[in-house]
Amino acid sequence: RHSPKRVLYLLDKDDNRIANGLFLFGCYLMLSKRVEPDLVRKKLGGWNDILNEQRRDNFPEATDVFLSLIDCWGGMWRAMSLKWISMPATNVFRWGDIDVREYQHYCNPLSGDLVQVVPGQFIALRAPENLGIRE
């Protein structure tokens, strides 16, 4: 199903970019290879300081919520177990319960800037933003 080719992902020395790259690579392993979060952590063990670092959301205001990459992979694994997210089988616009076109439409600030966190039950909205549009 998957070719035996290597995946190469280049990162610079910035810890935030390294964390983003490690997160994406871990998601790739989980989604495409069904590797559990603990095994992802073991495979990336040389990066323990970044994997375990408590990070906050990218939101500009201060927050008291901090998560590690391992926490985030755990949440993704749970979403995969509930079939909220999965690799597309035949329809590249459908990732489990996520319709990519619908997601792209609604995550746009002009379309509400909302994300469905729990399918059919819970949505998240970004804080209001001045888009420079006059009424």
Side-chain angles (χ1 to χ4, degrees):
R1 184 174 134 147
H2 299 285
S3 68
K5 296 179 181 174
R6 293 178 183 226
V7 174
L8 177 64
Y9 191 83
L10 299 175
L11 303 166
D12 61 22
K13 295 180 181 180
D14 177 90
D15 280 357
N16 289 324
R17 290 185 181 181
I18 292 172
N20 288 343
L22 291 173
F23 176 72
L24 291 174
F25 186 66
C27 291
Y28 165 79
L29 290 174
M30 291 168 54
L31 281 167
S32 67
K33 308 290 186 188
R34 303 287 305 165
V35 176
E36 294 186 20
D38 282 342
L39 187 52
V40 170
R41 182 185 50 76
K42 288 177 187 170
K43 287 180 178 285
L44 300 174
W47 298 96
N48 276 329
D49 53 335
I50 292 176
L51 297 178
N52 292 311
E53 183 179 341
Q54 299 292 309
R55 298 177 174 277
R56 69 177 199 85
D57 190 345
N58 205 15
F59 200 64
E61 277 80 34
T63 181
D64 59 353
V65 177
F66 293 86
L67 298 170
S68 69
L69 295 183
I70 297 163
D71 295 328
C72 295
W73 288 329
M76 184 163 165
W77 190 256
R78 176 73 174 142
M80 289 170 60
S81 74
L82 294 170
K83 309 259 187 282
W84 292 352
I85 187 169
S86 62
M87 288 290 288
T90 55
N91 181 352
V92 296
F93 293 108
R94 195 92 197 154
W95 286 63
D97 281 348
I98 298 172
D99 180 320
V100 175
R101 289 174 289 204
E102 181 181 58
Y103 172 84
Q104 289 172 335
H105 172 77
Y106 285 110
C107 76
N108 182 321
L110 297 175
S111 301
D113 209 0
L114 61 94
V115 176
Q116 188 172 202
V117 178
V118 177
Q121 296 181 28
F122 181 67
I123 61 170
L125 300 163
R126 227 183 271 193
E129 184 176 323
N130 182 355
L131 301 176
I133 298 173
R134 294 183 183 183
E135 293 182 30

